Amino acid sequence: MASAKAKTISLLLEDGTLKGVMCIEDSSWNSGELYSAPRESINELMSSEACNKFGVYLLLSEEMVYVGQSMDLATRIKQHLAGKDWWERAIVLTTKDDSLNRSDIDYLESVLINKANDNNKLDCDNKKKGNPQKVTKFRKVELEQYLEEAFLLMELIGVSVFCN
């Protein structure tokens, strides 16, 4: 039996409730950050510092996900407010130190799209599989670890589109 490593997960409820913007960090996640917001609180999320960084975002309903990435998350998510009316929640995956680069977010987006597609949860608007992946084998290992922690945190807050 493999031994599990203990970890500490920090959860900040921006408005003191579970219905607003959440920021989640994990002691095993180095500089990673996950933000979650219901559609009604999306403006609060977009005005946060997190949405001025490189990152990946998810637009979610109970059964479906749209995966995207951007160097300016706030601008990109705003574009989806008018164009996509089916989503109920947004998730932003980024880093505290803005250490993700263009290749990193291309890679993360592609992996998330493939995983959602494999689970038959991908929105039909995600027609392509993301941009070509151009990360070194060393960076790929680091990004896979980043995603492993992100999947755990998403499962913790009830995001199940990536669960098998």
Side-chain angles (χ1 to χ4, degrees):
M1 178 159 88
S3 63
K5 292 182 182 176
K7 58 177 69 197
T8 302
I9 296 172
S10 300
L11 175 65
L12 174 64
L13 305 174
E14 300 270 337
D15 69 358
T17 74
L18 294 172
K19 296 183 186 330
V21 176
M22 291 184 219
C23 175
I24 306 168
E25 297 176 6
D26 176 338
S27 62
S28 303
W29 207 14
N30 296 326
S31 67
E33 287 184 310
L34 182 149
Y35 288 83
S36 173
R39 189 177 182 119
E40 306 81 54
S41 300
I42 201 67
N43 288 328
E44 289 87 355
L45 175 61
M46 288 187 300
S47 65
S48 74
E49 182 63 31
C51 286
N52 295 324
K53 300 176 183 176
F54 279 70
V56 178
Y57 64 92
L58 313 171
L59 304 177
L60 296 154
S61 70
E62 285 293 320
E63 295 296 319
M64 195 165 35
V65 63
Y66 176 88
V67 180
Q69 51 92 353
S70 180
M71 296 175 286
D72 180 358
L73 292 160
T75 299
R76 188 68 181 115
I77 293 169
K78 272 184 198 174
Q79 294 170 344
H80 294 305
L81 279 171
K84 295 181 186 353
D85 60 0
W86 58 265
W87 61 275
E88 303 156 355
R89 180 182 196 182
I91 302 285
V92 168
L93 299 170
T94 189
T95 55
K96 293 176 232 163
D97 58 3
D98 202 17
S99 59
L100 296 173
N101 62 41
R102 183 65 193 206
S103 295
D104 293 343
I105 62 176
D106 283 346
Y107 179 81
L108 294 171
E109 177 192 40
S110 178
V111 170
L112 290 167
I113 287 171
N114 288 335
K115 189 158 180 67
N117 194 42
D118 290 347
N119 291 342
N120 294 315
K121 301 289 188 175
L122 191 65
D123 176 53
C124 62
D125 285 350
N126 266 129
K127 291 179 176 62
K128 58 183 196 164
K129 298 205 184 272
N131 296 323
Q133 302 173 19
K134 297 176 184 170
V135 295
T136 67
K137 60 185 173 185
F138 301 103
R139 187 62 177 153
K140 182 177 179 181
V141 169
E142 294 168 352
L143 293 171
E144 289 295 328
Q145 291 169 342
Y146 177 94
L147 283 171
E148 187 178 316
E149 295 301 325
F151 288 137
L152 173 74
L153 297 179
M154 286 189 279
E155 188 176 352
L156 177 74
I157 61 170
V159 175
S160 60
V161 294
F162 299 109
C163 299
N164 292 331

